[in-house]
Amino acid sequence: MTVNTPEEFRAELRDWLEMNCPGEMRDGGLGEDSICWGGKDWVFTSNAQKVWLERCAAKGYTVPTWPVEYGGAGLDRTREKVFHEEMSAINARSPLQSFGIWMLGPALLHFGSHEQKLHYLPPIARGEVRWCQGYSEPGAGSDLANVQTRGEDKGDHWLVNGQKIWTSYADKADWIFALVRTDRNAPKHKGISFLLCDMDQTGVETRPIKMISGISPFCETFFTDAKIPKHQIVGEENRGWDVAKYLLTHEREMISGGGAGLSGGGRALGAVLSDTMETLDATTRADAMRCEIDALAIGLTLERYKDQSEAGQGAGDASAMLKYTGTELNKQRHELMMSAGGSDALEWDGPLGNRAGDWLRTKANSIEGGTSEVMLSIVSRRVLGLPA
Amino acid sequence: MKKLVMTEEEKMLADMARGFLDGAAPVSRFREMRDAGHTYDKALWQEMADMGWAGVLVPEDAGGSDMGFAATNIIARELGKTLAVSPFLSTAVIAATALRQVSDKRAKDALSRIALGQVTYALAVDEGVKFDPDATAMEARADGNGFRLNGKKQFVVDGALADRLLVLARTENGLTVFDIPAERAGIERVASNMIDARDAARITFQNVEATGEDVLGAVDHAMKVLKPALQAGQAALAAEMAGLTSGAFGMTVDYLKERKQFGVEIGRFQALQHRAAHLWCEIEVTASAILNAGRMLDHDPENAELAVSLAKARATDTAKLAVMEGVQMHGGIGMTDAYDMGFYMKRARVGAEWLGDYSYHAEKVAAARGF
């Protein structure tokens, strides 16, 4: 990495973006259809999407903060801010999104061996392998540590049997990282391992679940005598809960960031609403103002926790606060957007596109990655020290 | 832009302030003052001045400690935690910031006297029940070489104790700030019997003489000096309210851990746990807005309006929630005068109105965010 000042970096980046970001990729990329998820079976929606991914990957810009040797650009927090500022200045789409980037990557960077990082991270950064998350089970929702999918020790591998649920995009994923019970006699938090599983085998099947939003982003995933080689474990055997918790922290911050409207261009709510409502009525306007005030303050809180994290103070249990406030806000924001859209917002693929689907999708925000109630319990026990 | 993390220096300032205030101005001290009917502790203010707090925004060449707005907010927050009574906001923050916008000898002398704790100020803006400087009707009619001030002000915080008044009045082509002694002929001050047992006054101006010397800044251009002063005051008030929020919340969480009903600590009940946790989340979110306001005032004051209004709006809302939950979770004892929670509730209500309420600041945010 060349050592340049943040402003030199900004100037270089600006030039690079000008030369390399295709015009079609400068539309802000709002909406599910614009996302590039990558993976073995990924079909690019346009040549521009392909070119944009390849060019970014070559510079490490799909994962700007990851170390260069693992496919990133090695940017520090200041330069990362510059990166996002310059990307949004030209309204550039994110070149690649994935659970590999948001969840597995941070967990591997923290718990993985050097070999594992070299093996798994660069394909994530290049968008070649698409990952999904095997956490929840029919009997392990809020009580996640109650996972029953079991891994039987067969010497050089585990033989895995069980069922996962709410595995987002499992039907389109290449690999799954899963919580598997490898010691059935230990207390529930102490018998879980964090395993990496190739889904391209007969023992792994997926079935999409149709949701109220009309789409099927979530799946059930079934393991029937699936084989997972022993070296595909992250962290120590039966210590997978530590990895799971660490990863959940990232997941919560990510979900919360979406809620504050920072990831999707961060348009002011007033502008969003007036697209569909010529003059906001007094009640909607007052609600929207409150929502906007909270969004700005929550956005600053995300910034503050990122700054703290760079200063060596991790968010830890406070990430529950980011998740709770961000997701509850996002639900309110979409309620307001529906209200402003009036009857236009009531049609599937109507004049306002998928507004109703987006609205319904947000209802999962305060459930996935830990419900709001679980977040509040984490805060009350671990932050406030109230008795269990 | 500086980061949204407290620096080591800032943490030391907070610790130092806390240590001092726990000794010199705990809530029990406020209670003594309230019981005795006192709204001003001159000796305490002198001690604060000796520590550099009165001159926190006074330039060093005028004898101040010039620590900046983020530091000012830190002190205000600590004052709020134990409801310490002082003219810090009206004198050290608002008046000092207004005076700093003017570069003449008179202003510099006034700043020096503020830093030494030798003079106190109050800002006289409100005329109706709500903060609305633009609607100022009080008249300063040109008269010979000077002016004649006629009109009424209310909710002049620290208006009864102050040595001098900053008065906003309407002149021929706009608004003007006058810096005049509170005892000048024609001024009648009536102390208000405030719910928070702090100083505020209703003031009548009858044909009060003012000269060109008394004008702070330029005639008809009040906002040039007043706007920065109001922003500094609003941010510091938000910080003070965050402090009182934290004080009330601390009491409440302690109580949840101690109070037993049905044979267990009431903090075991999930209904209360979740409400306490929700409140903590709100407090954390508001803390970010306040930290940001201090950073913006220090590093980009021209563009600080949104940040300041955001901080004041959030602080107002969060303080309200904290004191309401504080009383409710304490149950009956929270309603008694012998218990301190009521003090926090009353101060939160006064702070909510001073320098613009939630709606006032929400409108400022809305204007900046395209509503």
Side-chain angles (χ1 to χ4, degrees):
Chain A
M1 198 183 95
T2 50
V3 180
N4 51 15
T5 67
E7 286 318 302
E8 285 166 359
F9 171 68
R10 187 189 295 280
E12 280 171 28
L13 176 66
R14 202 173 276 179
D15 289 346
W16 185 87
L17 286 171
E18 200 41 56
M19 299 280 288
N20 290 283
C21 184
E24 295 153 84
M25 295 293 108
R26 301 187 189 198
D27 63 354
L30 294 169
E32 188 82 6
D33 293 343
S34 67
I35 297 175
C36 176
W37 289 100
K40 284 193 194 107
D41 301 324
W42 181 251
V43 180
F44 289 99
T45 54
S46 65
N47 191 53
Q49 192 187 50
K50 180 167 184 279
V51 165
W52 181 223
L53 171 61
E54 286 168 357
R55 288 177 182 167
C56 283
K59 292 287 281 185
Y61 289 159
T62 56
V63 284
T65 60
W66 289 10
V68 175
E69 63 177 326
Y70 304 136
L75 302 188
D76 62 11
R77 172 97 176 97
T78 310
R79 286 168 183 78
E80 183 200 5
K81 265 191 190 171
V82 170
F83 178 80
H84 290 302
E85 281 165 15
E86 290 305 313
M87 287 281 280
S88 50
I90 63 161
N91 223 11
R93 286 190 193 182
S94 167
L96 177 68
Q97 298 192 32
S98 77
F99 297 107
I101 295 175
W102 298 323
M103 299 186 199
L104 181 62
L108 273 176
L109 284 168
H110 195 266
F111 290 95
S113 65
H114 179 59
E115 291 71 26
Q116 284 176 328
K117 291 177 200 172
L118 280 179
H119 184 75
Y120 292 110
L121 293 177
I124 292 174
R126 291 191 299 263
E128 292 165 2
V129 174
R130 184 168 176 181
W131 286 83
C132 67
Q133 180 192 40
Y135 267 35
S136 298
E137 295 180 7
S142 289
D143 184 11
L144 182 62
N146 190 41
V147 289
Q148 298 299 328
T149 295
R150 63 188 187 279
E152 209 179 323
D153 193 331
K154 293 286 183 187
D156 65 340
H157 68 276
W158 282 284
L159 196 64
V160 177
N161 283 282
Q163 180 190 352
K164 294 288 175 184
I165 196 166
W166 316 128
T167 36
S168 308
Y169 303 109
D171 54 336
K172 299 182 175 72
D174 306 308
W175 281 65
I176 182 168
F177 51 93
L179 299 182
V180 176
R181 187 158 300 283
T182 43
D183 184 347
R184 297 169 82 174
N185 300 316
K188 65 178 180 180
H189 293 89
K190 308 224 161 137
I192 298 168
S193 294
F194 189 100
L195 305 183
L196 308 178
C197 177
D198 188 346
M199 298 177 80
D200 189 13
Q201 56 173 298
T202 51
V204 182
E205 282 178 282
T206 61
R207 187 190 303 159
I209 304 168
K210 188 171 180 184
M211 307 298 286
I212 56 173
S213 56
I215 54 171
S216 307
F218 295 105
C219 294
E220 292 175 287
T221 302
F222 300 90
F223 297 89
T224 314
D225 287 343
K227 284 181 183 162
I228 301 183
K230 280 284 176 73
H231 61 84
Q232 289 173 199
I233 184 171
V234 180
E236 289 174 44
E237 188 173 348
N238 297 323
R239 297 293 298 273
W241 187 247
D242 296 344
V243 186
K245 273 198 305 185
Y246 181 84
L247 191 152
L248 279 171
T249 309
H250 277 268
E251 181 178 5
R252 284 165 191 164
E253 284 174 34
M254 177 197 89
I255 296 171
S256 147
L262 296 174
S263 54
R267 280 186 81 204
L269 187 56
V272 173
L273 297 184
S274 31
D275 286 352
T276 42
M277 213 171 171
E278 268 175 27
T279 41
L280 294 176
D281 63 73
T283 309
T284 307
R285 185 172 180 276
D287 288 348
M289 280 160 63
R290 183 171 288 274
C291 192
E292 186 75 357
I293 284 170
D294 294 345
L296 290 166
I298 290 170
L300 288 166
T301 307
L302 283 170
E303 289 289 303
R304 178 159 74 88
Y305 272 84
K306 280 188 192 168
D307 285 345
Q308 277 183 11
S309 155
E310 193 169 67
Q313 308 157 246
D317 295 324
S319 71
M321 172 270 298
L322 300 174
K323 204 270 176 181
Y324 167 66
T325 54
T327 57
E328 293 297 335
L329 176 79
N330 203 36
K331 290 198 296 184
Q332 280 176 34
R333 188 180 165 92
H334 281 264
E335 285 294 338
L336 283 161
M337 286 167 66
M338 284 300 285
S339 182
S343 60
D344 273 355
L346 302 180
E347 296 174 53
W348 299 111
D349 297 319
L352 297 176
N354 192 36
R355 185 169 289 196
D358 292 342
W359 161 69
L360 288 162
R361 175 64 185 85
T362 62
K363 300 307 177 201
N365 293 163
S366 52
I367 301 169
E368 59 202 339
T371 63
S372 287
E373 290 70 26
V374 167
M375 297 305 104
L376 290 173
S377 289
I378 289 174
V379 169
S380 67
R381 308 262 167 84
R382 305 218 194 107
V383 180
L384 303 182
L386 292 174
Chain B
M1 186 70 193
K2 258 186 119 180
K3 293 191 183 287
L4 292 177
V5 183
M6 272 177 80
T7 62
E8 285 309 312
E9 220 179 358
E10 288 171 341
K11 284 181 195 160
M12 275 170 57
L13 174 64
D15 288 345
M16 193 270 291
R18 185 73 267 136
F20 169 73
L21 291 168
D22 279 341
V27 186
S28 55
R29 174 68 192 131
F30 169 69
R31 180 178 291 276
E32 285 166 17
M33 288 177 68
R34 194 277 310 252
D35 291 348
H38 296 154
T39 53
Y40 180 36
D41 183 342
K42 204 167 195 294
L44 177 64
W45 181 235
Q46 191 56 56
E47 279 188 80
M48 292 182 187
D50 294 344
M51 291 191 299
W53 294 6
V56 67
L57 291 170
V58 172
E60 285 178 14
D61 66 5
S65 53
D66 204 9
M67 289 190 266
F69 295 103
T72 299
N73 290 353
I74 287 168
I75 295 170
R77 184 169 193 279
E78 297 306 325
L79 289 167
K81 278 186 192 166
T82 45
L83 305 169
V85 180
S86 81
F88 181 74
L89 261 65
S90 47
T91 299
V93 181
I94 297 172
T97 305
L99 286 160
R100 256 188 110 144
Q101 310 306 315
V102 181
S103 51
D104 60 23
K105 189 177 176 304
R106 197 182 56 94
K108 192 177 169 184
D109 289 347
L111 283 164
S112 298
R113 297 190 64 217
I114 285 178
L116 290 167
Q118 291 175 350
V119 65
T120 53
Y121 274 85
L123 175 67
V125 169
D126 292 11
E127 295 175 8
V129 297
K130 289 285 175 181
F131 176 75
D132 188 2
D134 295 337
T136 297
M138 179 164 158
E139 192 190 28
R141 190 168 29 84
D143 180 49
N145 286 332
F147 301 86
R148 290 281 179 170
L149 275 59
N150 281 288
K152 284 179 180 175
K153 296 286 183 182
Q154 67 181 63
F155 192 24
V156 179
V157 172
D158 292 336
L161 69 86
D163 303 313
R164 300 186 67 88
L165 301 172
L166 295 181
V167 184
L168 183 62
R170 193 158 289 283
T171 38
E172 199 172 347
N173 297 302
L175 295 170
T176 302
V177 179
F178 294 87
D179 174 358
I180 53 176
E183 299 291 345
R184 185 166 285 179
I187 296 177
E188 192 198 350
R189 295 189 284 172
V190 178
S192 304
N193 186 12
M194 299 295 288
I195 56 171
D196 66 344
R198 304 277 275 261
D199 187 354
R202 291 178 184 267
I203 305 182
T204 311
F205 297 81
Q206 202 166 20
N207 240 8
V208 176
E209 245 181 288
T211 67
E213 284 277 282
D214 296 326
V215 172
L216 190 63
V219 174
D220 296 329
H221 292 92
M223 284 308 154
K224 203 164 171 295
V225 294
L226 196 57
K227 194 175 171 187
L230 288 172
Q231 289 187 351
Q234 286 154 347
L237 177 57
E240 189 206 306
M241 293 178 78
L244 79 85
T245 299
S246 150
F249 182 64
M251 282 176 71
T252 305
V253 172
D254 286 348
Y255 192 73
L256 292 178
K257 292 175 185 175
E258 292 159 16
R259 168 74 173 168
K260 288 192 173 175
Q261 285 289 272
F262 306 102
V264 294
E265 301 93 336
I266 59 172
R268 287 187 189 276
F269 299 126
Q270 199 174 55
L272 297 183
Q273 288 183 344
H274 283 193
R275 277 164 53 185
H278 170 78
L279 175 52
W280 181 80
C281 292
E282 294 290 315
I283 289 170
E284 277 295 293
V285 170
T286 296
S288 314
I290 290 166
L291 197 52
N292 181 57
R295 294 279 183 257
M296 287 296 289
L297 286 170
D298 280 332
H299 299 283
D300 192 7
E302 297 293 313
N303 297 306
E305 188 168 26
L306 171 64
V308 168
S309 283
L310 183 65
K312 177 64 167 66
R314 281 286 318 186
T316 297
D317 223 27
T318 307
K320 179 170 83 176
L321 181 66
V323 296
M324 283 176 64
E325 291 288 55
V327 169
Q328 180 67 21
M329 292 192 196
H330 276 84
I333 197 172
M335 289 296 295
T336 63
D337 185 75
Y339 209 75
D340 293 336
M341 188 56 75
F343 291 156
Y344 286 94
M345 179 168 269
K346 294 165 199 167
R347 182 60 186 165
R349 187 81 273 285
V350 173
E353 291 297 328
W354 192 21
L355 302 174
D357 65 4
Y358 185 90
S359 302
Y360 176 88
H361 289 287
E363 287 294 345
K364 296 272 178 199
V365 173
R369 295 288 292 176
F371 279 79

